[in-house]
Amino acid sequence: MKIRDILKAKRFVFSLEVFPPKPDTDIRVIYDTIEQLKEIDPDFISVTFGAGGSTRGRTVEIADKLTNYFKIPALAHLTCIGATYGSIMSILKEFKSKGVENIMALRGDMPAGEKEPLKDFKYAADLVRFIRKSGHDFSIGVACYPEKHPEASSHDADLEHLKGKVDAGADFVTTQLFLENNHFLKFRDRMEKAGIKMPLLAGIMTATKLVNLERMADMCGVEIPERFRKATSSCDINALVCEDTVKYTVGQINHLIANGVKGIHLYTMNKVEQNRRIYEESKLRQARQANVH
Ligand code: FAD
């Protein structure tokens, strides 16, 4: 099923993200994770694409399994930095042949020391345009950054570039993780003022250890509020669930729901228990039950 149709049919959408296990890890590990995450009945599951295409085969395989075995709509991430038109066309054909109908179109991070794109694509907008002209009808998502993409010169410039992706043919927008809802709410206002009318899904990440999130937040320019640091400080490093960060993330989600968010996309980090607790203890279930336009 195409995500643009799910977004049209539902007032509120709930989705999950998983990443492919390392090549030397048995792929069945992720199928076991999905089997358990399936119990919370997400509207779709996205599968990340490793930097430089390093998980290409596994991303295709997992998206295929989601679609044809688990019967959950799959959103396959695809990065274009370093890719050729030919390599992108070939993976689009693979996705199509397996019935995968949704692509998250991304540029990918610049390899360290590089300033210029390596091959045929410069920005994610180029990939969106290419997919639209490919002759394959995918529903396309793109990324956005409430706290600004680190390479962008200003919030306005970043928003202008987001508009470029939307004008190129995107169907929906998912945010980078954020831990302070004000960043999201201000960004949503700026998007509206700029006339960008797109379903906006809030990307939410939890953590059982600060160190896991700190590296990512640093790289992406994401603020870590003191309250979040405090919450993680109580976490037992070996525990599957951290009570204080469950509470923090539940609070964040409930506040977003109260503020009319279109969707919550949980970056699960392939962790079942922590995310299941967040689902059960937040107002996600109620928001989905009240799901009429
Ligand atoms: P773009 O939209 O191309 O933007 C990149 C930068 O270029 C921004 O600073 C933008 O402002 C600027 N820009 C855009 N257009 C122009 C223009 N015309 N002129 C000048 N500047 C311009 N990475 C992975 O490797 N695999 C994944 O699976 C993955 N999934 C992600 C999912 C989400 C929801 C998010 C938010 C990010 C994800 N990323 C992933 C990370 C992403 O690849 C990086 O953030 C990357 O640095 C930017 O990708 P983008 O698609 O936003 O790029």
Side-chain angles (χ1 to χ4, degrees):
M1 185 164 193
K2 291 199 171 61
I3 291 171
R4 65 166 169 259
D5 296 328
I6 301 174
L7 289 163
K8 266 184 217 143
K10 295 188 173 183
R11 195 190 53 75
F12 178 81
V13 166
F14 168 67
S15 53
L16 302 174
E17 178 185 286
V18 296
F19 62 83
K22 291 200 182 101
D24 57 354
T25 306
D26 190 335
I27 192 139
R28 282 173 298 184
V29 170
I30 188 65
Y31 297 147
D32 186 44
T33 302
I34 294 170
E35 189 73 54
Q36 297 175 66
L37 288 171
K38 190 175 187 264
E39 286 170 27
I40 55 178
D41 190 28
D43 289 304
F44 67 87
I45 295 185
S46 75
V47 191
T48 64
F49 197 75
S54 56
T55 64
R56 186 193 190 282
R58 290 203 150 183
T59 300
V60 173
E61 195 176 335
I62 296 164
D64 176 12
K65 191 91 166 182
L66 277 166
T67 309
N68 298 301
Y69 174 78
F70 290 107
K71 310 283 183 203
I72 300 172
L75 170 62
H77 291 204
L78 179 59
T79 63
C80 63
I81 199 157
T84 60
Y85 296 134
S87 68
I88 294 290
M89 188 53 104
S90 123
I91 195 167
L92 291 180
K93 282 185 184 156
E94 262 183 87
F95 283 133
K96 208 69 208 179
S97 73
K98 295 180 188 315
V100 175
E101 297 191 278
N102 309 289
I103 306 274
M104 185 74 188
L106 300 147
R107 184 196 68 178
D109 283 324
M110 284 281 188
E114 298 279 352
K115 282 237 157 33
E116 283 303 311
L118 308 175
K119 299 242 164 67
D120 292 342
F121 299 86
K122 192 163 186 179
Y123 297 114
D126 303 328
L127 178 59
V128 176
R129 257 186 299 277
F130 184 84
I131 298 171
R132 280 287 169 246
K133 286 189 183 152
S134 68
H136 300 296
D137 181 23
F138 289 100
S139 182
I140 303 175
V142 290
C144 67
Y145 304 85
E147 290 165 79
K148 187 179 86 57
H149 186 267
E151 289 166 37
S153 55
S154 66
H155 279 288
D156 285 349
D158 211 21
L159 206 58
E160 194 51 43
H161 302 145
L162 173 62
K163 193 163 186 304
K165 296 194 270 198
V166 169
D167 292 345
D171 295 316
F172 62 97
V173 182
T174 307
T175 73
Q176 169 83 279
L177 78 108
F178 57 91
L179 296 160
E180 176 54 72
N181 283 357
N182 274 340
H183 293 305
F184 174 86
L185 297 172
K186 280 188 194 155
F187 176 77
R188 189 173 65 175
D189 285 350
R190 285 200 299 275
M191 243 179 96
E192 267 169 34
K193 278 194 192 116
I196 305 173
K197 293 192 178 83
M198 272 283 108
L200 173 65
L201 309 182
I204 298 293
M205 191 181 283
T206 180
T208 49
K209 295 174 205 143
L210 182 60
V211 62
N212 289 350
L213 204 136
E214 220 168 15
R215 209 175 322 116
M216 208 170 314
D218 238 33
M219 218 172 76
C220 309
V222 168
E223 182 200 355
I224 304 183
E226 210 37 51
R227 285 178 300 126
F228 188 83
R229 276 184 201 281
K230 273 204 189 114
T232 49
S233 68
S234 75
C235 299
D236 171 350
I237 199 121
N238 298 312
L240 293 179
V241 172
C242 174
E243 298 298 332
D244 285 342
T245 54
V246 166
K247 262 190 224 139
Y248 185 97
T249 309
V250 163
Q252 215 191 338
I253 290 173
N254 288 351
H255 182 248
L256 290 169
I257 290 174
N259 279 279
V261 70
K262 174 70 189 176
I264 297 286
H265 185 65
L266 272 186
Y267 294 117
T268 69
M269 303 300 287
N270 297 358
K271 302 262 189 271
V272 174
E273 245 348 273
Q274 176 94 0
N275 288 287
R276 189 157 48 199
R277 284 280 306 277
I278 287 165
Y279 185 77
E280 277 158 12
E281 290 172 29
S282 69
K283 299 208 166 119
L284 277 165
R285 202 188 294 274
Q286 283 118 292
R288 301 180 79 192
Q289 279 163 355
N291 221 333
V292 272
H293 261 294

